[in-house]
mmCIF file of all heavy atoms in Angstrom:
data_model
loop_
_atom_site.group_PDB
_atom_site.id
_atom_site.type_symbol
_atom_site.label_atom_id
_atom_site.label_comp_id
_atom_site.label_asym_id
_atom_site.label_seq_id
_atom_site.Cartn_x
_atom_site.Cartn_y
_atom_site.Cartn_z
ATOM 1 N N LEU T 2 0.830 -1.210 -0.076
ATOM 2 C CA LEU T 2 0.026 0.053 -0.017
ATOM 3 C C LEU T 2 0.927 1.234 0.014
ATOM 4 O O LEU T 2 0.520 2.189 -0.821
ATOM 5 C CB LEU T 2 -0.916 0.021 1.169
ATOM 6 C CG LEU T 2 -1.983 1.084 1.223
ATOM 7 C CD1 LEU T 2 -2.792 1.136 -0.022
ATOM 8 C CD2 LEU T 2 -2.932 1.024 2.381
ATOM 9 N N PRO T 3 2.020 1.333 0.840
ATOM 10 C CA PRO T 3 2.642 2.624 0.713
ATOM 11 C C PRO T 3 3.216 2.933 -0.639
ATOM 12 O O PRO T 3 3.190 4.120 -1.117
ATOM 13 C CB PRO T 3 3.895 2.423 1.766
ATOM 14 C CG PRO T 3 3.313 1.399 2.712
ATOM 15 C CD PRO T 3 2.468 0.523 1.862
ATOM 16 N N LEU T 4 3.676 1.924 -1.388
ATOM 17 C CA LEU T 4 4.226 2.214 -2.737
ATOM 18 C C LEU T 4 3.104 2.432 -3.633
ATOM 19 O O LEU T 4 3.287 3.372 -4.458
ATOM 20 C CB LEU T 4 4.967 0.920 -3.194
ATOM 21 C CG LEU T 4 5.630 1.053 -4.662
ATOM 22 C CD1 LEU T 4 6.507 2.150 -4.784
ATOM 23 C CD2 LEU T 4 6.298 -0.310 -5.026
ATOM 24 N N LEU T 5 2.008 1.820 -3.625
ATOM 25 C CA LEU T 5 0.923 2.064 -4.471
ATOM 26 C C LEU T 5 0.369 3.448 -4.166
ATOM 27 O O LEU T 5 -0.013 4.158 -5.293
ATOM 28 C CB LEU T 5 -0.168 0.942 -4.208
ATOM 29 C CG LEU T 5 0.155 -0.411 -4.640
ATOM 30 C CD1 LEU T 5 -0.966 -1.293 -4.154
ATOM 31 C CD2 LEU T 5 0.477 -0.631 -6.109
ATOM 32 N N LEU T 6 0.260 3.888 -2.939
ATOM 33 C CA LEU T 6 -0.183 5.217 -2.695
ATOM 34 C C LEU T 6 0.871 6.330 -3.189
ATOM 35 O O LEU T 6 0.300 7.280 -3.692
ATOM 36 C CB LEU T 6 -0.298 5.318 -1.193
ATOM 37 C CG LEU T 6 -1.113 6.474 -0.622
ATOM 38 C CD1 LEU T 6 -2.537 6.501 -1.183
ATOM 39 C CD2 LEU T 6 -1.078 6.575 0.932
ATOM 40 N N LEU T 7 1.937 6.004 -3.188
ATOM 41 C CA LEU T 7 3.012 7.095 -3.783
ATOM 42 C C LEU T 7 2.623 7.070 -5.384
ATOM 43 O O LEU T 7 2.663 8.192 -5.868
ATOM 44 C CB LEU T 7 4.376 6.431 -3.504
ATOM 45 C CG LEU T 7 5.548 7.398 -4.225
ATOM 46 C CD1 LEU T 7 5.447 8.778 -3.615
ATOM 47 C CD2 LEU T 7 6.871 6.692 -3.950
ATOM 48 N N VAL T 8 2.510 5.895 -5.990
ATOM 49 C CA VAL T 8 2.206 5.923 -7.410
ATOM 50 C C VAL T 8 0.901 6.644 -7.674
ATOM 51 O O VAL T 8 0.824 7.516 -8.661
ATOM 52 C CB VAL T 8 2.200 4.461 -7.962
ATOM 53 C CG1 VAL T 8 1.805 4.541 -9.450
ATOM 54 C CG2 VAL T 8 3.529 3.864 -7.757
ATOM 55 N N ALA T 9 -0.115 6.352 -6.917
ATOM 56 C CA ALA T 9 -1.434 7.080 -7.165
ATOM 57 C C ALA T 9 -1.303 8.589 -6.946
ATOM 58 O O ALA T 9 -1.953 9.323 -7.575
ATOM 59 C CB ALA T 9 -2.468 6.416 -6.100
ATOM 60 N N LEU T 10 -0.470 9.025 -6.079
ATOM 61 C CA LEU T 10 -0.270 10.412 -5.690
ATOM 62 C C LEU T 10 0.399 11.082 -6.891
ATOM 63 O O LEU T 10 0.033 12.273 -7.281
ATOM 64 C CB LEU T 10 0.473 10.636 -4.370
ATOM 65 C CG LEU T 10 -0.298 10.438 -3.147
ATOM 66 C CD1 LEU T 10 0.581 10.385 -2.058
ATOM 67 C CD2 LEU T 10 -1.479 11.423 -3.003
ATOM 68 N N VAL T 11 1.392 10.385 -7.504
ATOM 69 C CA VAL T 11 2.019 11.004 -8.592
ATOM 70 C C VAL T 11 1.188 11.277 -9.771
ATOM 71 O O VAL T 11 1.129 12.264 -10.465
ATOM 72 C CB VAL T 11 3.304 10.029 -9.033
ATOM 73 C CG1 VAL T 11 3.793 10.413 -10.369
ATOM 74 C CG2 VAL T 11 4.364 10.032 -7.948
ATOM 75 N N LEU T 12 0.310 10.204 -10.020
ATOM 76 C CA LEU T 12 -0.789 10.272 -11.134
ATOM 77 C C LEU T 12 -1.730 11.382 -10.738
ATOM 78 O O LEU T 12 -2.242 12.164 -11.501
ATOM 79 C CB LEU T 12 -1.473 9.008 -11.276
ATOM 80 C CG LEU T 12 -0.572 7.784 -11.738
ATOM 81 C CD1 LEU T 12 -1.381 6.467 -11.735
ATOM 82 C CD2 LEU T 12 0.095 8.147 -13.115
ATOM 83 N N ALA T 13 -2.130 11.513 -9.376
ATOM 84 C CA ALA T 13 -3.082 12.549 -9.063
ATOM 85 C C ALA T 13 -2.706 13.943 -9.323
ATOM 86 O O ALA T 13 -3.521 14.859 -9.526
ATOM 87 C CB ALA T 13 -3.539 12.230 -7.539
ATOM 88 N N PHE T 14 -1.319 14.176 -9.282
ATOM 89 C CA PHE T 14 -0.783 15.394 -9.464
ATOM 90 C C PHE T 14 -0.361 15.562 -10.919
ATOM 91 O O PHE T 14 0.364 16.667 -11.264
ATOM 92 C CB PHE T 14 0.500 15.697 -8.654
ATOM 93 C CG PHE T 14 0.054 16.099 -7.176
ATOM 94 C CD1 PHE T 14 0.255 15.062 -6.226
ATOM 95 C CD2 PHE T 14 -0.218 17.259 -6.773
ATOM 96 C CE1 PHE T 14 -0.098 15.258 -4.879
ATOM 97 C CE2 PHE T 14 -0.584 17.567 -5.493
ATOM 98 C CZ PHE T 14 -0.519 16.607 -4.540
ATOM 99 N N ASN T 15 -0.929 14.693 -11.893
ATOM 100 C CA ASN T 15 -0.827 14.795 -13.245
ATOM 101 C C ASN T 15 0.624 14.910 -13.690
ATOM 102 O O ASN T 15 0.935 15.537 -14.743
ATOM 103 C CB ASN T 15 -1.422 16.251 -13.730
ATOM 104 C CG ASN T 15 -2.951 16.174 -13.683
ATOM 105 O OD1 ASN T 15 -3.622 15.122 -13.877
ATOM 106 N ND2 ASN T 15 -3.515 17.296 -13.230
ATOM 107 N N ILE T 16 1.478 14.126 -13.008
ATOM 108 C CA ILE T 16 2.768 13.794 -13.307
ATOM 109 C C ILE T 16 2.861 12.623 -14.236
ATOM 110 O O ILE T 16 2.495 11.468 -13.783
ATOM 111 C CB ILE T 16 3.760 13.689 -12.200
ATOM 112 C CG1 ILE T 16 3.720 14.982 -11.325
ATOM 113 C CG2 ILE T 16 5.195 13.410 -12.525
ATOM 114 C CD1 ILE T 16 4.387 14.876 -9.910
ATOM 115 N N GLU T 17 3.330 12.659 -15.354
ATOM 116 C CA GLU T 17 3.464 11.640 -16.337
ATOM 117 C C GLU T 17 4.518 10.568 -15.864
ATOM 118 O O GLU T 17 5.655 11.033 -15.554
ATOM 119 C CB GLU T 17 3.828 11.993 -17.775
ATOM 120 C CG GLU T 17 2.707 12.876 -18.399
ATOM 121 C CD GLU T 17 1.547 11.962 -18.609
ATOM 122 O OE1 GLU T 17 1.614 10.760 -18.782
ATOM 123 O OE2 GLU T 17 0.402 12.452 -18.847
ATOM 124 N N PRO T 18 4.091 9.402 -15.600
ATOM 125 C CA PRO T 18 5.167 8.357 -15.122
ATOM 126 C C PRO T 18 6.397 8.342 -16.089
ATOM 127 O O PRO T 18 7.544 8.052 -15.542
ATOM 128 C CB PRO T 18 4.410 7.036 -15.183
ATOM 129 C CG PRO T 18 2.923 7.491 -15.059
ATOM 130 C CD PRO T 18 2.851 8.772 -15.853
ATOM 131 N N ALA T 19 6.261 8.534 -17.370
ATOM 132 C CA ALA T 19 7.420 8.431 -18.281
ATOM 133 C C ALA T 19 8.461 9.415 -17.953
ATOM 134 O O ALA T 19 9.664 9.089 -18.319
ATOM 135 C CB ALA T 19 6.983 8.570 -19.598
ATOM 136 N N THR T 20 8.073 10.496 -17.250
ATOM 137 C CA THR T 20 9.071 11.634 -16.931
ATOM 138 C C THR T 20 9.933 11.246 -15.821
ATOM 139 O O THR T 20 10.959 11.695 -15.503
ATOM 140 C CB THR T 20 8.500 12.824 -16.606
ATOM 141 O OG1 THR T 20 7.482 12.697 -15.511
ATOM 142 C CG2 THR T 20 7.340 13.350 -17.719
ATOM 143 N N LEU T 21 9.602 10.101 -15.078
ATOM 144 C CA LEU T 21 10.361 9.776 -13.928
ATOM 145 C C LEU T 21 11.469 8.803 -14.376
ATOM 146 O O LEU T 21 12.588 8.859 -13.953
ATOM 147 C CB LEU T 21 9.338 9.041 -12.873
ATOM 148 C CG LEU T 21 8.249 9.872 -12.276
ATOM 149 C CD1 LEU T 21 7.378 9.025 -11.421
ATOM 150 C CD2 LEU T 21 8.699 11.122 -11.535
ATOM 151 N N PHE T 22 11.034 7.739 -15.112
ATOM 152 C CA PHE T 22 12.054 6.911 -15.786
ATOM 153 C C PHE T 22 11.475 6.239 -16.834
ATOM 154 O O PHE T 22 10.150 5.999 -16.893
ATOM 155 C CB PHE T 22 12.644 5.729 -14.592
ATOM 156 C CG PHE T 22 11.588 5.039 -14.047
ATOM 157 C CD1 PHE T 22 11.207 3.682 -14.686
ATOM 158 C CD2 PHE T 22 10.989 5.233 -12.931
ATOM 159 C CE1 PHE T 22 10.223 2.901 -14.099
ATOM 160 C CE2 PHE T 22 9.966 4.525 -12.377
ATOM 161 C CZ PHE T 22 9.655 3.310 -12.874
ATOM 162 N N GLN T 23 12.303 5.663 -17.764
ATOM 163 C CA GLN T 23 11.889 4.976 -18.993
ATOM 164 C C GLN T 23 11.020 3.687 -18.677
ATOM 165 O O GLN T 23 11.389 2.934 -17.864
ATOM 166 C CB GLN T 23 13.080 4.677 -19.893
ATOM 167 C CG GLN T 23 12.624 4.131 -21.268
ATOM 168 C CD GLN T 23 13.767 4.037 -22.096
ATOM 169 O OE1 GLN T 23 15.026 4.131 -21.776
ATOM 170 N NE2 GLN T 23 13.501 3.607 -23.385
ATOM 171 N N GLY T 24 9.816 3.638 -19.281
ATOM 172 C CA GLY T 24 9.050 2.371 -19.175
ATOM 173 C C GLY T 24 8.100 2.530 -17.944
ATOM 174 O O GLY T 24 7.330 1.569 -17.640
ATOM 175 N N ALA T 25 8.029 3.654 -17.222
ATOM 176 C CA ALA T 25 7.231 3.740 -16.078
ATOM 177 C C ALA T 25 5.756 3.737 -16.512
ATOM 178 O O ALA T 25 4.851 3.185 -15.827
ATOM 179 C CB ALA T 25 7.600 5.049 -15.196
ATOM 180 N N ASP T 26 5.552 4.361 -17.614
ATOM 181 C CA ASP T 26 4.052 4.451 -18.085
ATOM 182 C C ASP T 26 3.510 3.098 -18.311
ATOM 183 O O ASP T 26 2.430 2.791 -18.024
ATOM 184 C CB ASP T 26 3.877 5.426 -19.123
ATOM 185 C CG ASP T 26 4.954 4.995 -20.337
ATOM 186 O OD1 ASP T 26 5.840 4.315 -20.083
ATOM 187 O OD2 ASP T 26 4.602 5.609 -21.390
ATOM 188 N N THR T 27 4.402 2.266 -18.971
ATOM 189 C CA THR T 27 4.039 0.899 -19.305
ATOM 190 C C THR T 27 3.792 0.071 -18.017
ATOM 191 O O THR T 27 2.809 -0.778 -17.886
ATOM 192 C CB THR T 27 5.040 0.095 -20.139
ATOM 193 O OG1 THR T 27 5.102 0.927 -21.317
ATOM 194 C CG2 THR T 27 4.522 -1.272 -20.545
ATOM 195 N N MET T 28 4.683 0.244 -17.135
ATOM 196 C CA MET T 28 4.479 -0.363 -15.699
ATOM 197 C C MET T 28 3.127 -0.092 -15.017
ATOM 198 O O MET T 28 2.583 -0.974 -14.406
ATOM 199 C CB MET T 28 5.731 -0.043 -14.906
ATOM 200 C CG MET T 28 7.033 -0.716 -15.336
ATOM 201 S SD MET T 28 8.418 -0.286 -14.281
ATOM 202 C CE MET T 28 7.899 -1.028 -12.779
ATOM 203 N N VAL T 29 2.896 1.214 -15.045
ATOM 204 C CA VAL T 29 1.687 1.755 -14.415
ATOM 205 C C VAL T 29 0.359 1.087 -15.116
ATOM 206 O O VAL T 29 -0.514 0.624 -14.571
ATOM 207 C CB VAL T 29 1.592 3.186 -14.451
ATOM 208 C CG1 VAL T 29 0.298 3.696 -14.038
ATOM 209 C CG2 VAL T 29 2.738 3.685 -13.539
ATOM 210 N N LEU T 30 0.441 1.056 -16.427
ATOM 211 C CA LEU T 30 -0.653 0.583 -17.170
ATOM 212 C C LEU T 30 -0.977 -0.950 -16.940
ATOM 213 O O LEU T 30 -2.070 -1.276 -16.761
ATOM 214 C CB LEU T 30 -0.394 0.732 -18.691
ATOM 215 C CG LEU T 30 -1.505 0.297 -19.646
ATOM 216 C CD1 LEU T 30 -2.809 0.891 -19.542
ATOM 217 C CD2 LEU T 30 -1.168 0.251 -21.163
ATOM 218 N N TYR T 31 0.123 -1.726 -17.125
ATOM 219 C CA TYR T 31 -0.074 -3.183 -16.934
ATOM 220 C C TYR T 31 -0.159 -3.583 -15.476
ATOM 221 O O TYR T 31 -0.728 -4.523 -15.172
ATOM 222 C CB TYR T 31 1.007 -3.835 -17.731
ATOM 223 C CG TYR T 31 0.843 -3.911 -19.221
ATOM 224 C CD1 TYR T 31 1.567 -2.963 -20.008
ATOM 225 C CD2 TYR T 31 0.001 -4.816 -19.857
ATOM 226 C CE1 TYR T 31 1.373 -2.869 -21.380
ATOM 227 C CE2 TYR T 31 -0.126 -4.767 -21.128
ATOM 228 C CZ TYR T 31 0.492 -3.821 -22.001
ATOM 229 O OH TYR T 31 0.364 -3.902 -23.415
ATOM 230 N N GLY T 32 0.611 -2.950 -14.635
ATOM 231 C CA GLY T 32 0.654 -3.130 -13.268
ATOM 232 C C GLY T 32 -0.746 -2.860 -12.676
ATOM 233 O O GLY T 32 -1.304 -3.680 -11.809
ATOM 234 N N GLY T 33 -1.355 -1.721 -12.997
ATOM 235 C CA GLY T 33 -2.597 -1.297 -12.404
ATOM 236 C C GLY T 33 -3.660 -2.240 -12.911
ATOM 237 O O GLY T 33 -4.606 -2.551 -12.238
ATOM 238 N N SER T 34 -3.627 -2.665 -14.174
ATOM 239 C CA SER T 34 -4.593 -3.628 -14.764
ATOM 240 C C SER T 34 -4.514 -4.932 -14.070
ATOM 241 O O SER T 34 -5.584 -5.502 -13.685
ATOM 242 C CB SER T 34 -4.412 -3.660 -16.225
ATOM 243 O OG SER T 34 -4.483 -2.544 -17.006
ATOM 244 N N PHE T 35 -3.257 -5.385 -13.889
ATOM 245 C CA PHE T 35 -3.160 -6.723 -13.216
ATOM 246 C C PHE T 35 -3.714 -6.645 -11.775
ATOM 247 O O PHE T 35 -4.387 -7.618 -11.326
ATOM 248 C CB PHE T 35 -1.716 -7.058 -13.152
ATOM 249 C CG PHE T 35 -1.385 -8.369 -12.398
ATOM 250 C CD1 PHE T 35 -1.595 -9.599 -12.820
ATOM 251 C CD2 PHE T 35 -0.808 -8.206 -11.120
ATOM 252 C CE1 PHE T 35 -1.476 -10.663 -12.137
ATOM 253 C CE2 PHE T 35 -0.610 -9.392 -10.386
ATOM 254 C CZ PHE T 35 -0.906 -10.594 -10.812
ATOM 255 N N LEU T 36 -3.299 -5.606 -11.122
ATOM 256 C CA LEU T 36 -3.854 -5.477 -9.623
ATOM 257 C C LEU T 36 -5.386 -5.345 -9.583
ATOM 258 O O LEU T 36 -5.967 -5.905 -8.624
ATOM 259 C CB LEU T 36 -3.209 -4.364 -8.929
ATOM 260 C CG LEU T 36 -1.713 -4.590 -8.722
ATOM 261 C CD1 LEU T 36 -0.937 -3.278 -8.237
ATOM 262 C CD2 LEU T 36 -1.389 -5.755 -7.730
ATOM 263 N N ALA T 37 -5.907 -4.653 -10.532
ATOM 264 C CA ALA T 37 -7.342 -4.559 -10.614
ATOM 265 C C ALA T 37 -8.117 -5.746 -10.731
ATOM 266 O O ALA T 37 -9.037 -6.306 -10.095
ATOM 267 C CB ALA T 37 -7.842 -3.464 -11.553
#
């Protein structure tokens, strides 16, 4: 939950995951889908 909450807050502030590191947007897309 702490890590997931950190990712959720990054997205809530409209920060694109790809700006953090390469491939982050793909990880968020597939990781969030898998967890859902």
Side-chain angles (χ1 to χ4, degrees):
L2 186 57
L4 177 60
L5 294 174
L6 194 57
L7 178 61
V8 175
L10 287 172
V11 168
L12 296 174
F14 284 101
N15 292 321
I16 300 175
E17 291 294 333
T20 61
L21 301 178
F22 59 89
Q23 187 176 5
D26 51 346
T27 303
M28 291 178 62
V29 168
L30 177 65
Y31 286 96
S34 300
F35 172 79
L36 292 171

